[in-house]
């Protein structure tokens, strides 16, 4: 069963650590978010009509109101995913020149590679969210 393994809430938005062992059906919502695999099975995440790898070395970006799903096949080992839900208002507070709330799309690309230090920091964040 897919379940929350931990989470944090702050002025930035929220962090959720999700243990996903079944498909997450196509949906949209008003939150932009970034997804990171922090354990378990390598998998894919669909943004719009394209599949993107969700592995230890990359991140997947989803804009607000952008259709997305996680086509994880039942019976496969779970993927442990850290989801960072970002409040655009927080970005504006951090740097007023950024004007993130005025952009039609916060993220121009749906995936990118991660530096090793970033991966280490993400694991630390996941540990904190899970209370470790």
């Amino acid at each position: 069963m897919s379940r929350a393994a931990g989470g944090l809430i702050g002025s930035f938005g929220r962090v959720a650590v999700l243990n996903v062992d079944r498909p997450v059906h196509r949906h949209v919502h008003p939150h932009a978010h970034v997804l990171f695999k922090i354990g378990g099975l390598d998998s894919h995440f669909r943004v719009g009509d394209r599949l993107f790898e969700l592995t230890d070395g990359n991140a997947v970006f989803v804009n607000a109101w952008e259709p997305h799903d996680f086509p994880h096949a039942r019976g496969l080992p779970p993927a442990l995913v850290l989801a960072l839900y970002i409040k655009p208002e927080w970005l504006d507070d951090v740097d007023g020149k950024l004007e993130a709330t005025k952009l039609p799309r916060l993220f121009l690309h749906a995936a990118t590679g991660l530096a090793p230090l970033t991966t280490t920091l993400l694991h630390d964040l996941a540990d904190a969210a899970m209370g470790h």
Side-chain angles (χ1 to χ4, degrees):
M1 176 197 271
S2 299
R3 62 181 168 75
L8 298 169
I9 296 174
S11 60
F12 61 89
R14 65 186 168 97
V15 171
V17 179
L18 308 167
N19 193 6
V20 185
D21 66 352
R22 65 175 63 183
V24 174
H25 298 286
R26 194 167 183 81
H27 64 284
V28 298
H29 48 75
H31 308 99
H33 57 292
V34 185
L35 303 162
F36 308 94
K37 178 206 152 204
I38 55 169
L41 188 69
D42 284 351
S43 55
H44 291 84
F45 199 88
R46 187 180 347 263
V47 180
D49 294 325
R50 293 187 54 204
L51 277 177
F52 296 93
E53 289 186 330
L54 191 57
T55 66
D56 293 324
N58 71 342
V60 174
F61 301 94
V62 182
N63 285 298
W65 303 114
E66 192 165 30
H68 57 283
D69 62 272
F70 189 76
H72 190 84
R74 291 182 188 270
L76 288 178
L80 192 62
V81 176
L82 185 146
L84 173 59
Y85 297 88
I86 304 164
K87 288 183 179 178
E89 299 83 11
W90 174 79
L91 289 174
D92 281 346
D93 287 344
V94 171
D95 181 357
K97 295 177 185 173
L98 190 60
E99 298 182 343
T101 56
K102 295 172 183 68
L103 297 174
R105 295 171 34 113
L106 180 59
F107 306 121
L108 299 179
H109 302 284
T112 191
L114 298 173
L117 177 58
T118 303
T119 301
T120 299
L121 294 171
L122 288 168
H123 283 267
D124 291 347
L125 178 58
D127 286 343
M130 292 186 293
H132 299 162

